[in-house]
Amino acid sequence: MKKTSTRLADGRELIYYDQRDDSVRDAVDRRPLDPTVTTSEVRRDPLLGDSIAVASHRQGRIYHPPADECPLCPSQGDRLSEIPDSSYDAVVFENRFPSLAGDSGRCEVVCFTSDHNASFADLTEEQARLVLDAWTDRTSELSHLPSVEQVFCFENRGAEIGVTLGHPHGQIYAYPFTTPRTALMLRSVAAHKEATGGENLFDAVLARELADERVVLEGEHWVAFVPYAAHWPYEVHLYPKRRVPDLLALDEEARTEFPQVYLELLRRFDRIFGEGEPPTPYISAWHQAPFGALEEFEGVNRDDFALHLELFTIRRTSGKLKFLAGSESGMNVFINDVPPESAAQRLREVASS
């Protein structure tokens, strides 16, 4: 992998990740951009104890542009985009309309390929490995920013999810706090560790799933399963078999096998609802240990956390979505319409072609 860092016309950082070491990235951003102005502010809810970001400048972000005006495609002639070069393998840049900025963190966009009509599932294993390397590199770089406590790499795919740009891409949020979902996990890990005299909860969960009927895919270094208490109709968790706290700690064997397992999983997701159905909308989310202090989680350190990816769709059956209504949105109590065992069986049946 070759990494080339440059600046866009408004001062934002852009980084090319290339498979070839001889790639030259010297294109200049020719757009007449004004400096980026953000109004991001993090506010803490005193009752729930969580934090929200207020970012009014995001109202002006680009919304469903036509394909020939896509800002994530390479620049071609007089059609200038966020990527100055006429081609790229993978690229990361600072979001022009970030939810988090400055002392409130940082937001980046990750473009998986220059092909506008592709999806992550269409990538080759070499391309998927390059994206994994980019996620890892950005996790390392962002973790050293003084305002950053947790790094979250994710992909929103599909209009039903709320995606406003059709180009295959994901995002990275660098939060100035430990997110509520991660905090819940860490509290559970701490309680289990104390109650069992030191057993790791992630290890116990993984051992249980490996022995049960909800395993979807298993390799030498990775396993994908539908969790016992899945929140979503079709939800799969992907774990490395050797517990590590973050992407940085994956060994070379796990990095090599990841594209094979993950691409197969995504291709099966696209086949859940049968031939002729539109692509399955999904959210794919990496969960990594926070880089900040963990004093509030007594007896827990970073190595007690287990890196894993959670993949789920909001579609519950053909043509029908799972909406977060009263119980889910009002009380955070999910009601799942599809038994996890049935979801796992379906995902085993639809091996990709």
Side-chain angles (χ1 to χ4, degrees), residues 165-197:
L165 296 175
H167 196 103
H169 73 288
Q171 300 180 66
I172 302 175
Y173 276 24
Y175 296 101
F177 50 81
T178 297
T179 61
R181 190 173 179 86
T182 302
L184 284 173
M185 294 184 200
L186 290 170
R187 292 189 189 102
S188 296
V189 168
H192 185 84
K193 191 174 186 179
E194 181 179 7
T196 60

Side-chain angles (χ1 to χ4, degrees), residues 135-166:
W135 282 331
T136 305
D137 179 70
R138 296 315 301 153
T139 295
S140 176
E141 293 290 330
L142 293 170
S143 71
H144 290 94
L145 296 179
S147 63
V148 172
E149 190 166 313
Q150 186 172 0
V151 179
F152 176 47
C153 307
F154 66 100
E155 179 192 2
N156 297 328
R157 191 269 190 101
E160 299 96 327
I161 297 293
V163 174
T164 57
L165 296 175

Side-chain angles (χ1 to χ4, degrees), residues 34-57:
D34 295 326
T36 301
V37 178
T38 62
T39 57
S40 181
E41 176 189 359
V42 173
R43 297 183 180 182
R44 188 166 180 81
D45 186 321
L47 293 178
L48 298 179
D50 58 8
S51 299
I52 68 162
V54 180
S56 59
H57 63 278

Side-chain angles (χ1 to χ4, degrees), residues 223-350:
V223 60
F225 57 87
V226 178
Y228 172 75
H231 289 59
W232 298 92
Y234 291 93
E235 174 182 342
V236 178
H237 293 189
L238 177 62
Y239 276 69
K241 291 184 177 179
R242 182 178 70 88
R243 172 165 46 90
V244 295
D246 52 40
L247 290 166
L248 304 173
L250 287 173
D251 58 26
E252 183 57 32
E253 289 79 10
R255 293 181 183 280
T256 299
E257 187 181 76
F258 170 77
Q260 305 164 23
V261 176
Y262 186 51
L263 290 172
E264 171 68 13
L265 188 58
L266 291 180
R267 290 162 186 166
R268 291 192 187 195
F269 246 59
D270 270 344
R271 297 166 65 91
I272 293 173
F273 304 106
E275 297 292 340
E277 288 290 321
T280 301
Y282 65 72
I283 292 175
S284 177
W286 281 109
H287 292 261
Q288 306 191 76
F291 289 94
L294 300 179
E295 285 85 355
E296 66 177 292
F297 311 105
E298 188 172 350
V300 172
N301 56 55
R302 292 193 79 250
D303 290 336
D304 289 321
F305 194 86
L307 167 76
H308 63 284
L309 182 144
E310 297 185 8
L311 173 70
F312 63 90
T313 178
I314 63 170
R315 189 179 292 164
R316 57 186 174 86
T317 189
S318 179
K320 297 179 181 179
L321 301 181
K322 165 65 177 177
F323 291 101
L324 299 189
S327 185
E328 291 90 351
S329 295
M331 283 296 174
N332 200 29
V333 178
F334 277 68
I335 301 170
N336 193 347
D337 304 305
V338 179
E341 293 74 21
S342 299
Q345 177 62 31
R346 177 60 181 160
L347 284 162
R348 287 193 294 269
E349 292 172 350
V350 292

